[in-house]
Amino acid sequence: MAGVGLSRLLLIGGGHSHLFVLEALATGRIKTAEAVLVSPDARQLYSGMLPGYLGGRHTLDQLTFDLAALAAAVGVRYLPGRVERIDAFTRTATLADGTTLPYDVASVGIGGVPAGHSLSGVAAHALHLKPADRALLIGPAFERAAAAAGPEPLQVAVVGAGAAGVELALAARARLDQLEASRAVITIYESSHTILRDHGTTVAERAEAVLRSRDITLRLSTRVEEVGPNHVVASGGRVAPADLILWATGTEAPPLFRASGLPSDSRGFLSVDDALAVPGCPGLFGAGDAVTLLSAPRLPHAGVHAVRQGPVLARNLAAALAGTGAYRNFRPRTESLALLNTADGRALGSWRGLALHSSTVLAVKDRIDRRFMRRFQRLARGTPQGPRP
Ligand SMILES: Cc1cc2nc3c(=O)[nH]c(=O)nc-3n(C[C@H](O)[C@H](O)[C@H](O)COP(=O)(O)OP(=O)(O)OC[C@H]3O[C@@H](n4cnc5c(N)ncnc54)[C@H](O)[C@@H]3O)c2cc1C
């Protein structure tokens, strides 16, 4: 619980790693005079369970939690807002409304922004996977589109064939079948020549076979350059009809770091060392999709790394606040288990080049996801489960 010690802790963003920091504050492993959490949206959604929710496997309660309630339960002041500037010299952060917050130690866990979000029409016409309030519009949009469908089949465009795009296309097929819109044409557009670029070839081939079996068309090496209310414009100016457009393009750097003149990589992600500290900026740390590890610049931006960074970040923030400097290093795993919900009662798992598609894999995925959510939902109710590595 916050309340002991002299330093002020500022948490910027309600990302995955900061959940572990909130837990460490609750259990007294982090001691601070004052802790503040700034994030625009009180409702948080666990994106790993979003395809399962859309496909009808999870309830809304299972994949969302209230960040404001969580902060209150652990004695942290929650401020709704968006940080637009960090001054590492004066150790202050400025919000969009001009409020300035001083800190002794701060951590940035603001995630990324969807790649290509500023392309013409995307903000207005595409369905977005984040933040929670926008993602939760996807289910009702399916329902409306299925109800309004005329004699022509409904056209669904999924832009991006990373894990999120593949899972969403399959979840869309499952949901539209439930809504008796089985004739819907679902097309995935992907700028690269392959799907699941960050995964092995074996899992990509298995996933392609699953997509084919669910009658989902793949347009590879095809970049969507513009979207309209009922169409997408692909590379070369080709226009294709699209009643529903799901934007699943992966992550770009948020503008905050360049705007603040903070150390960042060539794409604008915040640079951090192995202790998740920003070099040359005392007291400033970062984790999750928003950062690039200097020692592993090619590490994909994925929730699994944000989650693994959480306990290390919590420990290092405690050390910075206590002034001990006894930091632990984050060592990313070079191989991690990838689990894709294929929305047919099975999941496709990959580990070290091997791929397995079965109901047992989905049961494993469910267990991992639900355990993660229960841990922090319990914390929000004031009953922490205690640390688990
Ligand atoms: C459908 C889908 C499925 C996915 N499945 C998986 C999966 O199975 N495995 C996996 O590893 N990854 C998965 N991912 C990727 C994963 O969701 C992200 O890697 C992960 O969410 C990144 O976590 P984060 O904590 O860095 O940021 P986020 O979870 O994006 O959290 C960022 C927080 O910061 C807040 N914020 C943003 N800007 C500001 C600001 N300027 N000031 C203050 N607060 C701010 C946001 O509101 C939010 O609360 C999936 C993604 C999607 C969309």
Side-chain angles (χ1 to χ4, degrees):
M1 183 81 78
V4 196
L6 294 172
S7 300
R8 292 159 302 186
L9 172 65
L10 177 61
L11 299 175
I12 302 170
H16 293 60
S17 314
H18 284 173
L19 299 178
F20 293 85
V21 177
L22 293 173
E23 185 181 71
L25 281 157
T27 55
R29 281 173 289 132
I30 295 181
K31 295 182 179 24
T32 177
E34 186 198 19
V36 176
L37 167 67
V38 185
S39 201
D41 314 292
R43 178 148 64 166
Q44 290 293 303
L45 179 148
Y46 183 47
S47 44
M49 290 170 86
L50 179 63
Y53 168 67
L54 293 173
R57 188 167 182 86
H58 305 305
T59 64
L60 189 57
D61 283 349
Q62 284 173 323
L63 79 154
T64 54
F65 60 87
D66 181 343
L67 197 58
L70 177 52
V74 304
V76 170
R77 184 157 67 95
Y78 169 71
L79 262 183
R82 187 175 289 280
V83 169
E84 290 210 327
R85 201 172 170 80
I86 298 172
D87 187 327
F89 184 69
T90 58
R91 297 203 197 191
T92 53
T94 306
L95 272 55
D97 67 2
T99 308
T100 296
L101 299 169
Y103 66 83
D104 296 298
V105 174
S107 172
V108 186
I110 63 170
V113 294
H117 66 109
S118 55
L119 290 174
S120 174
V122 172
H125 304 300
L127 292 161
H128 289 262
L129 314 182
K130 285 184 182 179
D133 288 352
R134 287 204 68 170
L136 295 176
L137 300 176
I138 299 176
F142 282 160
E143 282 160 30
R144 274 196 310 277
E152 293 300 312
L154 190 65
Q155 298 281 343
V156 180
V158 178
V159 184
V166 168
E167 279 191 301
L168 282 166
L170 291 163
R173 174 61 79 209
R175 184 69 191 125
L176 291 169
D177 282 353
Q178 289 158 13
L179 294 167
E180 295 175 4
S182 306
R183 289 169 57 240
V185 175
I186 303 179
T187 309
I188 303 184
Y189 295 87
E190 166 58 51
S191 57
S192 161
H193 64 283
T194 174
I195 67 166
L196 299 174
R197 231 184 346 190
D198 294 332
H199 299 65
T201 334
T202 318
V203 73
E205 283 169 4
R206 289 293 289 268
E208 271 199 41
V210 177
L211 290 169
R212 267 197 308 275
S213 74
R214 310 300 322 274
D215 215 2
I216 293 170
T217 307
L218 267 178
R219 297 257 178 270
L220 296 175
S221 306
T222 307
R223 181 179 293 279
V224 169
E225 293 176 340
E226 189 184 322
V227 309
N230 304 103
H231 66 269
V232 298
V233 183
S235 359
R238 207 151 35 93
V239 179
D243 303 301
L244 290 170
I245 304 161
L246 288 157
W247 201 255
T249 47
T251 297
E252 255 175 27
L256 173 64
F257 310 125
R258 282 198 172 138
S260 303
L262 294 173
S264 49
D265 71 2
S266 58
R267 295 167 300 165
F269 291 100
L270 184 68
S271 299
V272 294
D273 63 19
D274 288 351
L276 306 175
V278 183
C281 301
L284 187 61
F285 292 76
D289 277 9
V291 308
T292 290
L293 266 184
L294 287 164
S295 61
R298 289 172 170 277
L299 192 70
H301 291 101
V304 62
H305 301 302
V307 167
R308 290 210 184 110
Q309 286 166 352
V312 177
L313 178 71
R315 187 191 163 102
N316 292 352
L317 292 178
L321 286 159
T324 65
Y327 297 147
R328 180 176 284 181
N329 286 338
F330 172 69
R331 296 266 175 255
R333 287 195 200 153
T334 43
E335 292 279 355
S336 43
L337 178 67
L339 299 166
L340 304 181
N341 181 348
T342 50
D344 56 355
R346 295 180 291 172
L348 178 58
S350 76
W351 173 254
R352 299 194 169 186
L354 299 172
L356 185 65
H357 187 208
S358 74
S359 56
T360 310
V361 180
L362 182 60
V364 171
K365 176 172 167 49
D366 272 354
R367 235 181 99 217
I368 295 171
D369 289 345
R370 289 182 182 169
R371 194 173 64 186
F372 179 83
M373 284 306 287
R374 270 201 306 270
R375 177 173 177 171
F376 296 105
Q377 287 171 334
R378 223 176 259 172
L379 189 61
R381 291 196 301 269
T383 49
Q385 174 179 291
R388 191 183 301 201

